[in-house]
Amino acid sequence: MTSFSLPALTLATSCPKDADVVVFGVAESAGSPVLVGLPDEVERRAAKQFGQPLLAVARSLGADSKPGSTVVLPGADGRRLIAVGLGNIDVTPEQVRRAAGNGVRTASGLKSERPLRVAICLDAVEPEVVKGAAEGALLGSYAFVKVSGAQAAESIAALTVVSSSGKPEVRGAVETAKTVAAAVCLARDWVNTPANVLYPQTFAEAAQAAVKGTRIDVEVLDEKALERGGYGGLLAVGGGSSRPPRLVRLSYAPRGAKAHLAVVGKGITFDTGGLNLKPSDGMYTMKCDMAGAAAALAATRAIAQLGLKVRVTAYAAMAENMPSGTAYRPSDVLTMYGGTTVENVNSDAEGRLVMADALARAGEDSPDLILDVATLTGACMVALGERVAGLMASDDQAADHVLDAAESAGEAFWQLPIPDGTRKKLDSKVADLRSGGNRYGGALTAAAFLQTFVPGEIPWAHLDIAGPAFNDEGPYDYVPSGGTGMAVRTLVALAQSLQS
Ligand code: BES
Ligand code: MN
Ligand code: ZN
């Protein structure tokens, strides 16, 4: 399996003299655009070279304070300057994350004979803002390494984040950003790897390899162990494939842990829809259907590497949903882990079945909070679009806790309800419950189904990342085409919040 390696990133208190590219900001202040972060000396030399103030030159070439705006200017000595729009001058970490991402993405597209040294000069001072700059720069440099291993010629040699603050908290913020960005890129790599290369067995092996050298214990249940344990959801969904299912359990249990978080991820390595076969258009991107598992695993690695004082138990429920003579049928009744029986109404509603097994198992660890992450429903995309994930929870306190973490991480979630009576739509004549309801509120019925498998006393939140896990269109900000690594940052931020 190929993997992307992040460029080196350092923190400096002034712009390195040898930077080939300097990224600086244009922000809106009292209705007018102003330069942000550009070192005086660079500005003076550029003004001299152009014979007019740099802001005027940048403006005449189209530079704007609008987020997403990027303009490349020729600087002195063959150096290039990239003006990126920051939006309002009172920047949030996310504004800076996006601007840095846009700057580095633009830099990596520049023609050059050798890899470029890129300086990010966005006047970041507060630790959270510096962290945003570093994360945005690293995430914006991501490129998937082809399956053949043929790596596109390296375009970025090194990144420097410039901050006038020499505070130790700022150094710490940059180190955290590196660990988090590496985890996001790991999740992206896994999502982008095609399903003939990444399938349950190889995904489980890759997970094991990824956490080697950390204080995480790994347990992998293969198909025989799943049979012995009675994991009827994973076995049914994985039964149509020649590539048998796996359940991966990671355990990070540091001394002095303040809380115990369980994370459960959907790991359908390819979703054909099974016997309820998807049409070609809907099937093409379904290698992304393991993005929840990828996020759960990668975030757990980051949490362990950061040495957070939180116990984390992560489950990745891995199966391939294929139609075949051994595939599970609509109307089959499955006996799930823990004994609940489920009538399968549609073999394309496979995610909730593998999640049910893993959630029931996660409950046995008696964690303080269970979070699940899944590319669960097209209905969630109909409701919220491609860039916002859905969040449903057992109670508003759990929901707010996750929403706060997501906000601080710069990821977009929107709470959806699980209205009274939703569970009633899942009543079955032949089993304890059916796997789906009618055509309305599909994201909500899916959540109600999952909730059945969570012990009532444990707070629970469900993240439906069907839209934002995979970017079907062109890159933007720090988000590439393909796997995005959605939810990794929120999971890490949540663990951070549980420490105090
Ligand atoms: N993996 C899909 C959901 C999905 C759709 C993820 C688009 C990413 C992009 C899921 O397994 C699925 O097929 N859900 C069905 C459920 C239905 C059959 C009840 C759906 O949403 O149509
Ligand atoms: Mn499906
Ligand atoms: Zn699916």
Side-chain angles (χ1 to χ4, degrees):
M1 227 171 275
T2 59
S3 61
F4 170 71
S5 34
L6 288 166
L9 180 140
T10 49
L11 177 67
T13 47
S14 65
C15 186
K17 297 270 175 297
D18 65 355
D20 304 303
V21 178
V22 177
V23 174
F24 67 98
V26 179
E28 191 203 302
S29 174
S32 314
V34 293
L35 295 179
V36 173
L38 192 65
D40 288 345
E41 180 233 304
V42 178
E43 188 180 344
R44 258 197 313 275
R45 288 184 63 183
K48 198 166 144 203
Q49 173 198 345
F50 292 117
Q52 54 178 316
L54 186 65
L55 180 60
V57 180
R59 295 281 293 150
S60 67
L61 291 173
D64 195 274
S65 60
K66 268 216 295 291
S69 153
T70 54
V71 168
V72 183
L73 304 150
D77 311 330
R79 177 182 269 196
R80 277 170 289 190
L81 311 177
I82 301 180
V84 294
L86 270 167
N88 191 281
I89 186 92
D90 298 320
V91 292
T92 62
E94 176 63 5
Q95 273 173 272
V96 173
R97 194 179 284 109
R98 291 180 184 181
N102 280 317
V104 170
R105 252 186 339 96
T106 304
S108 58
L110 291 174
K111 280 214 174 65
S112 161
E113 270 156 23
R114 55 186 175 78
L116 298 166
R117 288 161 300 211
V118 181
I120 317 296
C121 301
L122 294 170
D123 193 25
V125 179
E126 293 303 315
E128 279 304 302
V129 176
V130 177
K131 180 165 168 256
E135 280 182 1
L138 289 168
L139 295 176
S141 73
Y142 177 84
F144 180 64
V145 178
K146 285 189 177 174
V147 170
S148 61
Q151 173 139 213
E154 199 183 13
S155 55
I156 308 270
L159 297 167
T160 303
V161 170
V162 178
S163 170
S164 58
S165 167
K167 284 199 183 144
E169 293 92 309
V170 165
R171 301 229 150 257
V174 169
E175 290 312 307
T176 302
K178 287 187 195 177
T179 302
V180 172
V184 174
C185 292
L186 174 64
R188 290 175 177 179
D189 276 338
W190 280 337
V191 170
N192 290 332
T193 303
N196 63 328
V197 178
L198 185 140
Y199 45 90
Q201 184 196 335
T202 57
F203 190 12
E205 287 164 1
Q208 213 151 9
V211 301
K212 228 186 173 147
T214 69
R215 292 168 57 190
I216 294 172
D217 291 327
V218 188
E219 183 191 349
V220 178
L221 304 191
D222 64 10
E223 68 273 29
K224 289 194 203 85
L226 293 171
E227 198 93 53
R228 281 194 298 273
Y231 292 85
L234 273 156
L235 289 166
V237 173
S241 173
S242 60
R243 295 168 160 154
R246 294 284 183 272
L247 179 65
V248 174
R249 177 182 192 265
L250 303 186
S251 169
Y252 168 63
R255 220 173 281 206
K258 296 281 194 300
H260 182 188
L261 171 67
V263 187
V264 176
K266 172 177 172 182
I268 299 298
T269 55
F270 197 79
D271 182 11
T272 63
L275 290 174
N276 297 91
L277 200 65
K278 285 183 184 291
S280 334
D281 283 354
M283 201 191 295
Y284 184 70
T285 59
M286 279 303 129
K287 66 174 181 180
C288 81
D289 213 18
M290 33 58 69
L297 296 165
T300 304
R301 182 179 82 169
I303 290 163
Q305 286 172 336
L306 294 169
L308 301 187
K309 291 274 175 275
V310 176
R311 181 173 162 200
V312 178
T313 311
Y315 290 90
M318 302 173 178
E320 185 177 48
N321 188 22
M322 295 287 269
S324 80
T326 55
Y328 75 128
R329 290 157 287 260
S331 84
D332 278 1
V333 174
L334 322 174
T335 303
M336 318 298 279
Y337 184 81
T340 304
T341 56
V342 173
E343 178 192 359
N344 172 43
V345 295
N346 184 322
S347 296
D348 197 11
E350 82 300 334
R352 61 198 74 186
L353 301 174
V354 302
M355 295 296 281
D357 276 353
L359 283 165
R361 170 73 196 275
E364 291 180 353
D365 301 322
S366 301
D368 302 308
L369 173 63
I370 299 181
L371 213 66
D372 80 68
V373 194
T375 46
L376 204 62
T377 66
C380 196
M381 300 175 69
V382 173
L384 299 175
E386 301 102 310
R387 294 193 186 180
V388 179
L391 172 130
M392 285 139 273
S394 55
D395 59 283
D396 283 347
Q397 201 189 331
D400 287 347
H401 195 160
V402 178
L403 288 172
D404 287 348
E407 165 97 52
S408 76
E411 291 188 314
F413 287 88
W414 195 261
Q415 189 180 354
L416 298 173
I418 307 176
D420 291 344
T422 307
R423 169 64 183 75
K424 200 96 196 75
K425 289 166 98 176
L426 299 173
D427 283 347
S428 166
K429 290 198 175 69
V430 293
D432 294 334
L433 74 167
R434 12 190 295 135
S435 61
N438 58 11
R439 64 199 205 83
Y440 300 113
L444 322 182
T445 30
F449 179 89
L450 294 183
Q451 188 167 20
T452 314
F453 296 88
V454 178
E457 69 283 4
I458 305 179
W460 158 80
H462 158 61
L463 310 182
D464 192 334
I465 60 167
F470 197 83
N471 176 15
D472 272 336
E473 293 173 353
Y476 61 92
D477 302 338
Y478 51 81
V479 182
S481 290
T484 62
M486 177 68 178
V488 170
R489 287 185 283 136
T490 295
L491 291 173
V492 176
L494 185 75
Q496 281 168 329
S497 76
L498 286 168
Q499 287 190 112
S500 42

